[in-house]
Amino acid sequence: CAPLQCNARYMLVEMNTIPKLPQTLTPVRMVIGTKEITTYATISDDFNPIHKDVETAQNAGFTDIIAHGTLSLNLIWESIERTFDFAQQPEITIDVRFKSPVYRGQTVETGSVHLSKMGNYEVWISDQNGMRAIEGTLQIHFDTVNGE
């Protein structure tokens, strides 16, 4: 798929109890610096030069080095962990679209709102100007509780 247009889906396992759901998930904020990008490249074994070389990034159409999309996406997982104290993990689906790059030096923060359906949230990662870099939905699958 084309960069910044991929959909990502992640799944976890079941849980036994249904907690009261908050209207928003606990926000998580991070300044994306060179150190964070380099560390994530090492962890993910993704050394694409657009993440470390300004000239390469500019030749690819970016104004500066960009962070790995999944580096920012991981903040949503951290937001889930900070919000819920699951004894066992429920099955969770995140369906997102990468809308714009996150550049070195930007501050990003998770955002969310509980939707009308039980266990469904709109989720996003936005920069310090409110521009959404990632957006999509999160669903906590309570219909699989206790093997149902």
Side-chain angles (χ1 to χ4, degrees), residues 14 29 36-38 41 56 69 103:
E14 297 175 12
R29 178 180 292 179
E36 289 74 19
I37 294 170
T38 302
T56 302
Y103 290 98

Side-chain angles (χ1 to χ4, degrees), residues 2-59:
L4 307 176
Q5 295 178 359
C6 297
N7 283 331
R9 290 190 178 271
Y10 298 85
M11 305 284 281
L12 293 176
V13 293
E14 297 175 12
M15 65 177 243
N16 290 322
T17 60
I18 299 174
K20 181 179 179 190
L21 298 175
Q23 289 303 305
T24 62
L25 304 177
T26 303
V28 177
R29 178 180 292 179
M30 175 184 240
V31 176
I32 305 293
T34 301
K35 179 181 176 184
E36 289 74 19
I37 294 170
T38 302
T39 300
Y40 193 80
T42 301
I43 292 168
S44 64
D45 198 28
D46 180 352
F47 297 99
N48 185 322
I50 62 173
H51 304 303
K52 62 182 183 175
D53 181 68
V54 175
E55 185 177 340
T56 302
Q58 289 173 339
N59 288 339

Side-chain angles (χ1 to χ4, degrees), residues 24-29 75 78-80 82-83 109-112:
T24 62
L25 304 177
T26 303
V28 177
R29 178 180 292 179
L75 295 178
E78 187 174 340
S79 179
I80 294 165
R82 288 185 184 185
T83 303
E109 184 172 21
T110 62
S112 62

Side-chain angles (χ1 to χ4, degrees), residues 58-70:
Q58 289 173 339
N59 288 339
F62 302 107
T63 59
D64 194 4
I65 293 169
I66 63 168
H68 303 73
T70 51

Side-chain angles (χ1 to χ4, degrees), residues 63-106:
T63 59
D64 194 4
I65 293 169
I66 63 168
H68 303 73
T70 51
L71 170 59
S72 299
L73 181 62
N74 280 320
L75 295 178
I76 294 175
W77 286 112
E78 187 174 340
S79 179
I80 294 165
E81 289 179 3
R82 288 185 184 185
T83 303
F84 298 104
D85 183 20
F86 294 126
Q88 294 181 346
Q89 287 289 349
E91 180 180 302
I92 297 175
T93 303
I94 298 179
D95 187 5
V96 297
R97 179 180 167 111
F98 295 88
K99 296 188 52 121
S100 65
V102 172
Y103 290 98
R104 171 178 56 174
Q106 286 188 299

